[in-house]
Amino acid sequence: MRPPGHHAGKNGTAMGAATLGFCYFNNIAIAVKKLEKSILILDIDGHHGNGTQEIFQGDPKVTYVSLHLYPTYPGTGLTSQGNCLNFPLPYSTGNSLYLKTLEKALSQIDMANVEVVAISAGFDAHDGDLASVGLTFEGYREIGRMVGALGKPVFGVLEGGYVGEYVGRDLRELITGIEEKQ
Ligand SMILES: [Zn+2]
């Protein structure tokens, strides 16, 4: 779907960000609220989902995990707060460090209490895109495998991703990775 949603908070702009970052409705938040289950939101968009964090901060049924480029827009997500776990990453991260960080993030979560995994599937962390941390197609495949290996029902919504020739294949790699391991 377009536009993305994870920068949209409770009342529009969230956590002091200057703009809504192309977002109108927080699509993942709407889906997660509607499901009323214990949910892990995994936000792999290259930007911090300040809107999603604002909406679910302190929600006992939701854990929010975001890996994102820092510093960049929206300027939030430097540290973890309660149920919102943030992993700021440098521009030079690359697949290997990203995947290690994701592994560390997932190891901090009690998966026995997670019923559904919801992916904020942004692809602008791809090498050369707007919030690049140097991920490649293979990186997205491996993210998919790690999510699939959690053994939970998964859904996702599209967030950012601004290099047209990357987005479709990144999405395919992610889904293929999930299916390989589920
Ligand atoms: Zn983004």
Side-chain angles (χ1 to χ4, degrees):
M1 61 183 71
R2 277 290 192 256
H6 72 156
H7 298 302
K10 289 179 180 171
N11 298 299
T13 55
M15 297 177 70
T19 73
L20 271 167
F22 314 146
C23 302
Y24 298 113
F25 302 106
N26 194 316
N27 307 305
I28 196 112
I30 292 166
V32 166
K33 289 269 188 191
K34 182 86 179 167
L35 263 176
E36 296 184 332
K37 290 183 183 290
S38 292
I39 295 185
L40 165 62
I41 300 175
L42 177 60
D43 190 332
I44 60 168
D45 187 276
H47 300 96
H48 177 237
N50 54 317
T52 307
Q53 173 162 339
E54 185 186 76
I55 289 165
F56 291 108
Q57 188 76 64
D59 188 325
K61 296 194 81 163
V62 175
T63 303
Y64 175 69
V65 170
S66 177
L67 281 70
H68 47 267
L69 177 65
Y70 190 94
T72 191
Y73 177 85
T76 52
L78 180 59
T79 56
S80 297
Q81 294 170 272
N83 62 320
C84 297
L85 308 181
N86 289 313
F87 297 86
L89 296 167
Y91 176 78
S92 60
T93 298
N95 286 341
S96 175
L97 178 58
Y98 188 98
L99 294 164
K100 271 186 204 145
T101 307
L102 179 57
E103 195 175 12
K104 183 176 137 196
L106 294 175
S107 75
Q108 292 178 22
I109 294 155
D110 180 8
M111 289 307 297
N113 288 328
V114 172
E115 293 173 279
V116 175
V117 178
I119 307 178
S120 259
F123 297 103
D124 49 16
H126 194 118
D127 189 27
D129 203 333
L130 208 56
S132 172
V133 291
L135 290 181
T136 66
F137 297 122
E138 183 49 41
Y140 286 103
R141 174 77 67 110
E142 196 55 41
I143 293 169
R145 289 182 183 127
M146 288 174 72
V147 171
L150 297 173
K152 303 288 179 179
V154 180
F155 77 93
V157 301
L158 190 61
E159 300 287 0
Y162 305 95
V163 181
E165 56 266 40
Y166 296 163
V167 175
R169 188 170 158 197
D170 283 336
L171 179 56
R172 186 176 166 205
E173 296 289 349
L174 182 73
I175 291 171
T176 304
I178 293 169
E179 287 176 345
E180 279 176 10
K181 291 288 180 180
Q182 246 187 352

